[in-house]
């Protein structure tokens, strides 16, 4: 009769037809599923398209880089080095210096280039930064010098107004520079006035103040870059120039790049960027997103299959095999997946186009023309299709096992729950925990992150398998609860096919949020712990780093802008400038006692008859002991190790130009071991000791004990930088969470909330539409509309709460594990001298509480408010 | 009025069907044997819960007997795999149920073509067969309507067309007239009768003695047992004797 093969084909065409019609018949559910899959596809498409547009390497808009010529030769690395480049040097360059053996570091010349390429037309191209006078002071302008009117320069600079410069006292400026008001002329610091003859923009960049002029206008040194014309520059010629130390952007090479095998080994790392760990992490991320999308779309397919139960039973009665029934449900995944993938890509392309100008504003590189990478988009679309088919797979499998006779008799034919899958879930959970433990045990030695990420996915899969059991337990526990909760819990347990993906989607989201939350806040805890204050809290210090510091002027300005603020002077030895003092403190045995210090108070050695208040790192007892020694004319010195000695040898070296004279004296001493890695100075000399050593004592810093208000701090900061740009004003505010961490936490919480709300809401409304016959029965026996709303809210609560609790538990496993590699002690010196606790663990309880308790309540409230309280009395099962 | 053909199309021998086990076990059928020959329409009657629907699902291979044998055109369904029983339904057995017989997402013609398409027949050919079957039940003009746009009687005609499409020789109907008014119900039964006269075997489950009059024989079920069979005796005699 009929061949097996044709049977398959027939099955698919029938299945696809059924799926298409079914999708059209239940528009609401289809739309929901479409969005669930199309939105992530669109998001990735936007990112990819923006990236491709921003990326201008390769043959695209090559005229911005080689002008009207054949190639751009850049010998900026200097002759005497050999460079290795990718066909496009922007994609990767390696430099091998051969400066030893007398090779010169002289700049390469055009003659050397022409020796390789033969004589050909060329123009020089020089870039640099030049200071110019502004109304307020001095600004920097990026300048480009080239023979701008030469055909070889066409495309490097776009003239927007005026004319090209014709002599070296003329200049073009860009809009950014014009805004800062050079007006008619650009005055350089050396007094040169350049006439502005027009405005222009760089072909490549959109940021900074820029000026464009003919060669020789600014003093940019010997030219080392050229745009060359003539014949196309071949890959062999590029390699020859590389050997001379020049990189080359060749139009011909970019248009027809050599095969990877011909690339120099030195730059092949550029090719293998996507190998090893990076690829693994990419795969893990894709798998995680896939799981999330599949889980979010899962309930819709489960309800769809439920609605098709009668159809599937009829198919079975008409002689359809279980495989054919499965195909009908899978086909809805194929149909919706295809449409969603297309929709997502199209949406992504349109949105990418719409947001492009906004993104360009954040980038200094001028984007290329709108650029689409079809292979990437095909992969993203395939991802959408695969996630839809996967989301339909379990409902399809269950649908093919439904009790046909029961469905035909008008009952529900849910197959019995599997006993094996919870067991498998337990096994997987064990494996996940073991993997996470293993990964955590690797500590900071590296390689722990990937087992932990894999174990996170394994834990999520295990959780999906265990979720039915948990839902069943909750239903049993709900026996004593009020009717809406009891009804919702029972209903959730009875219809596992739709409840489980919804619960799992919420749980997977929460797991991600909790795991990342633990990681971020533990990292934060470590940073807070590792933070060392430089001054007492809310105190401030002013240090003048100019060659001739003027603390008096600073103090006067501070008194003007903040009259209520106390200003103290911190003294120290003069340790900068041409005439400077250098102090070396050694223990009684003559050994070095301190490896390093920060001169945060303007001098490496402070001077005072007591320890300055600005100096922290001593407790009260230490301070008293130190003050006593200073009063006796001694010294206080920080030392890495605790020292019991009472004397220190202090050597003072006075530098004066090339001359140096040294004095050595022994003093009574008090040694302090600093709390932080580095103390703010080597120590404190008493004035008597300083005098005996012959040290020059100067005002090192101004100390403002404070506490300073934010407004005062701002005023003083402005006043201080008004006097000297190289003066610093620092207020100690203790540890501050940096903006990026804050933003990361906000984004994390926001994303989690959106996914959780989305997952719970869709699952709830799908469940409600599926439970309509039951609810109709409820109404028929006299339940009020309020009851119906409560049932709806209760269902959302059950799904959200069970999902959140499961997710928090599952997320804690990789979350805690990752803190070991993330916040463990790092061995900076590679000498086994790692210090600090094994890891920091800070669980963001507020976040966890918000996600586990707050969000489910919020969703329940939302559902309760929005659920339709009136209900058409239909009980039709199709 | 009936000519008893020689070959049995359906033969049930000592069929038992038990749902569940232990205390909760329900004996839906206990030792039912009966045969339907080609050209014959057999009515199955009995009170609610007597096992009529169970008998029908077992006869079509949708359900498996706990013990006993079910032969359709000489093949014992009990020994067959799931897929092979599905094949039997595609090629030999047609079902008509009380209501909701049709796949709402398919047109009348597509519903009728369903068994043919599932069997792997090209859709063009399947549609030709379907149109022929629709022609036979007199609604060829409704071929491209969806079930939602048809009356209950029209839907049942489509269901019958689907049960007979592709030369299938066993038609199983479970109260096919239950949701219809009397006149439309009579029309459906006339179609079934005609199909049997054309050589098929039909089994009709019904509550109404009036409908049983269309049958050649009546089998009475009570609590899963055949309590009476009209055999070759005229149906009307039996009806009067037992249930008037
Ligand atoms: N899946 C099942 N589990 C348990 N018992 C079942 C199941 N299916 C049917 N039964 C029982 O088997 C018996 C026969 O059921 P069946 O549906 O065949 O009756 P029927 O004669 O068709 O009744 P009706 O005239 O009401 O349609 C009934 O007692 C029914 O409760
Ligand atoms: Mg019945």
């Amino acid at each position: 009769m009929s061949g097996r093969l044709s049977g398959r084909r027939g099955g698919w065409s029938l299945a696809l037809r059924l799926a298409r019609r079914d999708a059209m018949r239940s528009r609401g559910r289809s739309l929901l599923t479409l969005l669930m899959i199309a939105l992530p596809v669109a998001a990735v498409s936007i990112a990819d398209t923006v990236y491709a547009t921003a990326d201008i390497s390769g043959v695209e808009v090559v005229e911005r880089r080689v002008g009207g010529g054949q190639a751009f030769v850049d010998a900026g690395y200097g002759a005497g080095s050999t460079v290795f480049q990718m066909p496009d040097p922007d994609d990767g360059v390696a430099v091998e210096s051969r400066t030893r053996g007398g090779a010169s570091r002289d700049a390469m010349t055009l003659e050397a280039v022409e020796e390789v390429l033969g004589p050909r037309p060329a123009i020089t191209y020089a870039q640099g930064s030049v200071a110019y006078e502004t109304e307020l002071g001095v600004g920097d302008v990026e300048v480009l010098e080239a023979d701008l009117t030469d055909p070889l320069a066409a495309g490097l600079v776009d003239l927007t107004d005026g004319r090209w410069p014709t002599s070296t006292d003329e200049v073009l400026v860009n809009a950014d520079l014009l805004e800062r008001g050079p007006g008619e002329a650009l005055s350089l610091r050396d007094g040169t006035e350049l006439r502005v003859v027009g405005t222009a923009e760089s072909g490549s960049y959109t940021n900074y103040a820029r000026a464009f002029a003919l060669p020789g206008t600014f003093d940019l040194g010997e030219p080392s870059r050229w745009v060359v014309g003539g014949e196309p520059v071949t890959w062999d010629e590029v390699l020859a120039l590389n050997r001379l130390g020049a990189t080359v952007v060749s139009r011909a090479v970019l248009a027809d790049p050599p095969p990877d095998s011909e690339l120099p080994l030195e730059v092949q790392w550029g090719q293998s960027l996507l190998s090893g760990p990076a690829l693994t992490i990419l795969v893990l991320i894709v798998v995680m997103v896939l799981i999330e999308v599949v889980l979010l779309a899962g309930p819709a397919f489960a309800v769809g299959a439920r609605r098709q139960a009668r159809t599937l039973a009829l198919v079975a009665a008409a002689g359809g095999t279980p495989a054919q029934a499965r195909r009908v449900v899978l086909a809805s995944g194929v149909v919706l997946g295809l449409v969603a993938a297309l929709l997502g890509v199209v949406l992504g392309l349109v949105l990418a186009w719409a947001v492009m100008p906004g993104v360009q504003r954040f980038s200094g590189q001028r984007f290329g023309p709108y650029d689409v990478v079809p292979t990437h988009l095909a992969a993203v679309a395939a991802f959408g299709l695969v996630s839809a088919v996967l989301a339909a797979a379990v409902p399809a499998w269950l649908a093919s096992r439904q009790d046909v006779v029961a469905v035909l008799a008008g009952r529900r034919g849910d197959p019995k729950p599997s006993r094996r899958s919870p067991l498998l879930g337990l096994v997987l959970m064990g494996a996940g925990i073991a993997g996470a433990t293993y990964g955590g045990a690797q500590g900071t030695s590296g390689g722990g992150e990937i087992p932990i990420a894999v174990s996170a996915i394994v834990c999520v899969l295990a959780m999906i398998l265990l979720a039915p059991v948990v839902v069943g337990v909750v239903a049993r526990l709900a026996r004593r609860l009020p009717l809406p909760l009891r009804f919702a819990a029972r209903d959730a347990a009875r219809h596992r096919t739709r409840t489980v993906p919804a619960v799992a989607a919420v749980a997977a989201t929460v797991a991600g949020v909790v795991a990342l939350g633990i990681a971020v806040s533990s990292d934060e805890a470590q940073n807070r712990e590792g933070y060392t204050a430089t001054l007492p809290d809310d105190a401030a210090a002013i240090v003048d780093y100019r060659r001739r510091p003027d603390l008096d002027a600073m103090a006067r300005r501070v008194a003007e802008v903040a009259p209520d603020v106390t200003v103290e002077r911190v003294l120290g030895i003069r340790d900068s400038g041409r005439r400077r003092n250098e102090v070396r403190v050694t223990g009684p045995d003559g050994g070095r006692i301190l490896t390093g210090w920060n001169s945060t108070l303007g001098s490496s050695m402070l001077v005072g008859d007591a320890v300055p208040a600005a100096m922290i790192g001593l407790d009260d007892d230490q301070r008293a002991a130190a003050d006593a020694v200073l009063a006796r004319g001694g010294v206080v010195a920080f030392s890495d190790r605790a020292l019991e000695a009472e004397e220190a040898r202090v050597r003072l070296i006075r530098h004066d130009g090339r001359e140096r004279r040294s004095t050595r004296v022994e003093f009574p001493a008090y040694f302090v071991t600093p709390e932080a890695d580095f103390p703010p100075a080597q120590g404190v000399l008493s004035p008597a000791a300083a005098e005996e050593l012959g040290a020059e004592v100067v005002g090192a810093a101004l100390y403002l004990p404070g506490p300073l208000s934010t407004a005062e701090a701002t005023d003083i900061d402005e006043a201080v930088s008004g006097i000297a740009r190289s003066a610093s004003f620092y207020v100690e505010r203790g540890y501050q969470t940096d903006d990026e961490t804050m933003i990361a936490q906000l984004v994390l919480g926001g994303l989690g909330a959106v996914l959780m709300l989305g997952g719970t809401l869709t699952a709830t409304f799908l469940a409600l539409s599926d439970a309509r016959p039951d609810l109709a029965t409820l109404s028929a026996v006299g339940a009020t509309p309020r009851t119906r709303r409560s049932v709806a809210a209760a269902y959302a609560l059950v799904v959200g709460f069970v999902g959140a609790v499961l997710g928090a538990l599952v997320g804690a496993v990789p979350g805690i594990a990752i803190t070991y590699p993330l916040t463990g002690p790092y061995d900076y010196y590679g000498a086994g001298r790692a210090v600090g606790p094994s890891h920091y663990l800070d669980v963001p309880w507020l976040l966890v509480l918000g996600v586990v308790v707050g969000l489910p309540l919020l969703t329940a409230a939302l559902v309760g408010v929005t659920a339709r309280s009136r209900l058409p009395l239909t009980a039709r099962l199709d | 009025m009936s000519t008893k053909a020689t070959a049995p199309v359906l033969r049930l021998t000592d069929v038992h069907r038990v749902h569940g086990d232990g205390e909760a076990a329900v004996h839906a059928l206990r030792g039912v044997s009966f045969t339907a020959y080609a050209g014959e329409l057999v009515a199955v009657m009995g009170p609610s819960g007597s096992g009529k629907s169970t008998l029908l699902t077992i006869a079509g291979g949708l359900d498996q007997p706990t013990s006993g044998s079910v032969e359709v055109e000489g093949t014992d369904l009990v020994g067959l795999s799931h897929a092979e029983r599905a094949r039997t339904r595609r090629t030999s057995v047609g079902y008509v149920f009380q209501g909701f017989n049709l796949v709402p997402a398919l047109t009348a013609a597509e519903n009728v073509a369903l068994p043919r398409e599932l069997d792997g027949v090209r859709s063009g050919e399947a549609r030709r067969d379907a149109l022929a079957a629709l022609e036979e039940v007199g609604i060829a003009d409704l071929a491209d309507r969806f079930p939602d746009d048809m009356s209950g009687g029209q839907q049942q005609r489509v269901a019958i067309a689907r049960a007979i499409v592709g030369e299938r020789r066993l038609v199983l109907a479970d109260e096919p007239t239950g949701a219809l008014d009397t006149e439309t119900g009579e029309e459906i039964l006339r179609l079934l009768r005609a199909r049997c006269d054309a050589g098929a075997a039909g089994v009709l489950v019904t509550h109404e003695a009036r409908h049983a009059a269309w049958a050649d024989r009546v089998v009475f079920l009570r609590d899963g047992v055949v309590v009476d069979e009209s055999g070759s005796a005229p149906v009307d005699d039996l009806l009067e004797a037992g249930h008037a």
Side-chain angles (χ1 to χ4, degrees), chain A residues 581-593:
Chain A
N581 298 165
E582 184 190 338
V583 176
R584 290 185 190 163
V585 184
T586 50
D589 59 350
R592 282 191 67 156
I593 56 171

Side-chain angles (χ1 to χ4, degrees), chain A residues 1-2 6-7 9-11 13-14 17-18 21-22 25 310-311 314-322 324 404-405 408 876 878, chain B residues 57 62-63 82-83 86 89-91 95 97 99-107 110 114-115 117-120 122 146 148 162:
Chain A
M1 273 182 76
S2 55
S6 69
R9 180 161 22 85
S13 85
L14 175 73
R17 191 174 344 129
L18 273 170
R21 301 249 177 89
D22 188 59
R25 279 166 56 84
R310 182 87 196 177
T311 295
L314 287 172
V315 166
T321 59
Q324 283 170 322
V404 174
V405 177
L408 287 174
R876 211 182 136 163
D878 63 5
Chain B
T57 51
L62 274 176
D63 195 5
H82 223 82
R89 286 198 297 280
R90 293 199 297 271
T91 54
Y95 271 110
F97 307 101
F100 306 126
N101 257 311
L102 305 182
V103 176
L106 296 181
T107 62
E110 286 169 336
L114 187 60
E117 280 204 64
L118 289 172
D119 203 29
R122 255 174 241 284
F146 283 95
D148 285 350
R162 187 180 59 203

Side-chain angles (χ1 to χ4, degrees), chain A residues 782-793:
Chain A
T784 58
R786 237 191 73 217
T787 315
R788 185 182 139 73
R789 277 172 190 276
S790 325
V791 167

Side-chain angles (χ1 to χ4, degrees), chain A residues 403 405-406 409 411, chain B residues 17 19-20 24 26-29 46-55 174-175 205 207 221:
Chain A
D403 184 344
V405 177
R411 284 174 276 136
Chain B
R17 178 69 172 98
H19 289 290
V26 179
H27 287 258
L29 295 177
S48 189
S50 55
K52 306 183 293 291
S53 297
T54 307
L55 180 81
D174 194 349
E175 302 187 37
V205 168
H207 270 121
L221 274 184

Side-chain angles (χ1 to χ4, degrees), chain A residues 160-178:
Chain A
T160 48
D161 192 22
R163 60 169 176 82
W164 297 103
T166 50
S167 66
T168 56
D169 55 4
E170 293 178 341
V171 70
L172 288 169
V173 298
N174 74 346
D176 252 31
L177 180 54
L178 204 59

